Amino acid sequence: MLTLEEIVEKHAGMVRRIATVYERDPDRIDDLVQEVWLAMWQALPRLDNPATLKPYIARITQNICVTHVRRALVRKTELLSDSVPDEAVPVDEATDRARQLIRLTEAVRNLPESLKAVAGLYLEDIAIKDIATILGISESNASVRLHRAKTFIRMRFGDAS
Amino acid sequence: MNEPSQMDPFARLWQSTPKPDTRQLMLDVQRLHETHRRHNRVLIFVLCGIALLLAFCVAAERSLTLGVVSALWVAYVIGAIWYQRVRCRSDALGLDTISLLKRMISRAKRGLFQARCLSIGTPAAALTATIVTKVSGLTLTSDGHPVHQLAEIQTIASLIMLAAMIVAGLVLARARRRQLLELTEKLRSLEDKL
C-alpha cells in the first residue's frame, strides 16, 4: 500500500490540472488542491481496491471542484475570474508548447459545464467507463459528451498535432 | 471515436505540465489536517465542558430551573458528536457527482428553511408570545409594581438578540438561495440529456 506522500508525488499533477479546469485564480487553485489532498487523507483508509486509486482521486477532485461554489459564494468572489493569469502555465516561457498548453487550457475551461467534466477527466487518461461512474451518467452519454467536447476543443484550438 | 487518451495529442499536451512542488503541498496539507483536528477537539471540549457545568449545577441544586436545559444540552452534545462521526465515516465525496450535487442541494434547501425560521419564524414567535402575554394579562407590571431595571435590560438584550437573529437569518437565506441556484444550475447542466 502506497503512503500518502507517494500518492501525492504520483498524482499531484493530475489533481492540479483538474482544478485548473474549474478555477483560474492560482491562490484558489492552491486552496482546491489542498482541500482535495486533505479529503484524500481522510478517505484513503476507506479505499477498498488500491487498483482504483487514480479514478478515486479523480472522483474526489472532480467533486470538490464542482462543489466549490459554496466557498466562492461565501467569499463573495466571482468564479473563474479572468483577471489573474495562471501560474501553472508560465507565460514567460514563450515556447511553442507552453503557448499551446495555454490555448488548450483555455479551450477546456471555456467548455460548457456538462462537457468540461468529461473532457478534464479524459485528458487525464481516465477510461470512459470510469468517467461515467464518476459523474453518475451512462457510458453512452459520457461518450457523446466526450465527442462534443473534442469537437468544441478542435474548433477553439485547431489541431494539436 | 474515443481512442485511448494516451494516443490523443491533446492528452499528451495536457499532461506535459511541469510537476508541482509536492513537498510544500504536503507541509500545507499536514498543517491543515492538524488545524482541523485541533478545531474539532476544542469544539468537543467546549461543548462537553458546558454540558458538565450544567450537569453540576443541577446536581448541586444551584438552579432548579436548569434541569430541562441541561438535559437538552447534553442531548445536543451527544447528537453533535454522533453526527460528526457518522458524517466523517460516510464517504460523501466518493459519491458520483450527480448524487453529490443532489445531496448538496437538499442540504442547501434545509439550510434555507432554517434561515427562514430564523428571519421569519423568530419575530413571528416573539410577536405571538407578546400578544398571548398581553391577552392573558401576564405582564411584568400587572401587579402594579414598576418594571425592575433588570427586566428592562433583559428586554433590551432580547430585542437585540431578536434583531441579530433576523439579520443572520436574512444573510444566511440570501447565501443559501444563491448556493441553491448555482448547484441546481450545475446539476441541470450535468443531467442534461444528450
Side-chain angles (χ1 to χ4, degrees), chain A:
Chain A
M1 187 74 183
L2 293 169
T3 62
L4 184 71
E5 282 82 0
E6 289 166 329
I7 294 169
V8 171
E9 181 69 30
K10 197 173 173 190
H11 297 288
M14 176 183 77
V15 169
R16 190 168 183 90
R17 283 192 296 270
I18 295 178
T20 309
V21 172
Y22 291 91
E23 189 54 78
R24 199 180 292 258
D25 182 344
D27 289 338
R28 276 187 253 162
I29 291 175
D30 287 342
D31 287 350
L32 273 176
V33 170
Q34 283 177 13
E35 201 177 324
V36 169
W37 288 116
L38 191 63
M40 269 309 297
W41 193 339
Q42 285 154 1
L44 211 54
R46 291 191 292 269
L47 180 69
D48 301 326
N49 182 7
T52 59
L53 181 65
K54 191 179 175 183
Y56 190 64
I57 297 173
R59 176 193 294 238
I60 287 185
T61 312
Q62 169 70 22
N63 282 345
I64 286 178
C65 289
V66 167
T67 55
H68 93 292
V69 58
R70 177 181 287 189
R71 195 176 49 198
L73 282 174
V74 170
R75 284 181 184 175
K76 292 182 182 175
T77 48
E78 200 176 318
L79 287 167
L80 296 177
S81 149
D82 279 323
S83 57
V84 188
D86 188 353
E87 276 179 4
V89 190
V91 182
D92 51 336
E93 285 176 28
T95 59
D96 207 32
R97 199 164 186 80
R99 261 181 299 192
Q100 279 191 328
L101 197 52
I102 293 171
R103 283 176 63 201
L104 178 60
T105 310
E106 275 308 306
V108 177
R109 272 179 185 155
N110 290 327
L111 285 170
E113 197 78 35
S114 59
L115 306 182
K116 198 188 281 184
V118 179
L121 294 171
Y122 167 78
L123 290 169
E124 291 297 338
D125 289 339
I126 308 287
I128 280 287
K129 191 177 140 224
D130 289 328
I131 294 176
T133 313
I134 289 170
L135 296 178
I137 56 179
S138 68
E139 243 179 271
S140 55
N141 195 328
S143 295
V144 174
R145 280 169 202 241
L146 179 58
H147 177 69
R148 286 190 182 178
K150 279 181 178 175
T151 312
F152 194 94
I153 291 172
R154 280 198 191 102
M155 272 166 52
R156 297 288 299 243
F157 187 86
D159 194 358
S161 57

Side-chain angles (χ1 to χ4, degrees), chain B residues 50-68:
Chain B
I50 295 172
L52 277 174
L53 188 70
L54 285 171
F56 172 75
C57 282
V58 175
E61 293 182 350
R62 281 169 187 255
S63 170
L64 294 172
T65 55
L66 281 175
V68 179

Side-chain angles (χ1 to χ4, degrees), chain A residues 4-5 8-9 12-13 16-17 21 33-34 37-39 41-43 46 56 59-60 62-64 66-67 69-70 73 79 88 97 100-101 104-105 108 113-114 117 120 122-125 133-137 141 143-148 150 153-154 157-158 160-161, chain B residues 1-20 22-23 25-26 28-34 36 88-101 104 107-108 174-176 178-180 182-183 186 189-194:
Chain A
L4 184 71
E5 282 82 0
V8 171
E9 181 69 30
R16 190 168 183 90
R17 283 192 296 270
V21 172
V33 170
Q34 283 177 13
W37 288 116
L38 191 63
W41 193 339
Q42 285 154 1
R46 291 191 292 269
Y56 190 64
R59 176 193 294 238
I60 287 185
Q62 169 70 22
N63 282 345
I64 286 178
V66 167
T67 55
V69 58
R70 177 181 287 189
L73 282 174
L79 287 167
R97 199 164 186 80
Q100 279 191 328
L101 197 52
L104 178 60
T105 310
V108 177
E113 197 78 35
S114 59
Y122 167 78
L123 290 169
E124 291 297 338
D125 289 339
T133 313
I134 289 170
L135 296 178
I137 56 179
N141 195 328
S143 295
V144 174
R145 280 169 202 241
L146 179 58
H147 177 69
R148 286 190 182 178
K150 279 181 178 175
I153 291 172
R154 280 198 191 102
F157 187 86
S161 57
Chain B
M1 179 180 69
N2 299 323
E3 70 265 33
S5 55
Q6 296 97 320
M7 310 292 282
D8 192 322
F10 284 125
R12 282 207 308 274
L13 176 61
W14 179 256
Q15 290 174 27
S16 67
T17 50
K19 263 195 155 187
T22 53
R23 203 175 49 84
L25 176 65
M26 274 311 294
D28 288 342
V29 172
Q30 273 167 355
R31 187 177 42 80
L32 259 177
H33 186 66
E34 269 310 306
H36 274 222
C88 285
R89 275 193 203 133
S90 73
D91 189 8
L93 286 170
L95 293 172
D96 63 76
T97 308
I98 287 182
S99 306
L100 182 72
L101 279 172
M104 285 188 74
R107 193 175 287 179
R174 190 164 157 260
R176 287 287 173 271
R178 284 176 63 186
Q179 187 187 355
L180 204 56
E182 288 267 357
L183 290 171
K186 274 175 190 273
S189 69
L190 276 173
E191 277 189 324
D192 206 8
K193 293 278 179 287
L194 296 170

